[in-house]
Amino acid sequence: DEKSVRAAMRDFLDKAAAIGPDMQAIVYLAGRGVQYEGDNFFVPIDAQLARDSDTPMEAVRIADFAHALASEPGRARILVIDAARANPYPGQGQPLAGGLALVDPDPGELVAFNAAPGAIAGDEPGPYGVYAKTLAGAMRQGGLPIEDVFAQTRVQVNQATGGAQVPWSA
């Protein structure tokens, strides 16, 4: 729920700050995301999005968390958003744009999406989709530069979905 998501983010930021300059953080958000007025929002399970303008009040702006994490001293910050899915919310007001909006990561930060900006990934049965499984497998290999982990994931997911899903990272 929204309160728990915000509390978890605050707790994570507190722990990251306590580590200091050697901090290396990876955050993986999975669920449903939407873009509204050029910003990406993570939608908690209790969000009531009856109209587009409910988004900033009911969902969590991802950039707020990303900027706060980037402001902490540290060696690496990785933010993975596995939330580019079809929008199930009613269409009062302007329709919410599909997929996630293109972002420019803060210095020292890598941002990754399960689908290219503006694209959506299909809903898949089971607890983990092709992106999550592929990324976990690439991370388990060890010894690869992080950029290569995400590049390998992009190629493998694209192949596994017959080109229907192309992950993105910057």
Side-chain angles (χ1 to χ4, degrees), residues 2-165:
E2 184 252 345
K3 185 177 179 181
S4 297
V5 169
R6 290 185 191 281
M9 287 178 166
R10 276 192 297 277
D11 183 54
F12 189 90
L13 290 169
D14 289 344
K15 289 177 181 177
I19 293 170
D22 289 331
M23 181 264 296
Q24 297 178 60
I26 183 166
V27 176
Y28 186 94
L29 290 173
R32 208 161 291 278
V34 297
Q35 58 174 301
Y36 175 72
E37 295 187 349
D39 283 324
N40 293 317
F41 290 83
F42 187 70
V43 183
I45 59 170
D46 64 342
Q48 301 294 316
L49 298 181
R51 63 186 74 66
D52 63 328
S53 59
D54 290 337
T55 304
M57 295 177 286
E58 294 285 327
V60 178
R61 186 185 324 264
I62 295 170
D64 294 343
F65 176 75
H67 294 318
L69 183 59
S71 72
E72 296 300 335
R75 294 177 34 203
R77 292 158 208 85
I78 301 166
L79 184 56
V80 180
I81 312 298
D82 187 351
R85 293 190 175 70
N87 178 351
Y89 305 105
Q92 282 187 347
Q94 295 295 318
L96 292 167
L100 298 170
L102 180 66
V103 297
D104 188 20
D106 288 306
E109 183 176 67
L110 184 145
V111 176
F113 297 162
N114 64 315
I120 58 171
D123 285 325
E124 300 174 71
Y128 302 104
V130 66
Y131 178 74
K133 291 175 190 174
T134 304
L135 179 58
M139 291 171 69
R140 276 196 221 75
Q141 290 178 24
L144 288 177
I146 194 65
E147 296 86 2
D148 292 350
V149 168
F150 284 96
Q152 183 180 83
T153 299
R154 180 173 29 263
V155 169
Q156 290 178 355
V157 168
N158 184 36
Q159 289 173 341
T161 63
Q165 183 177 344

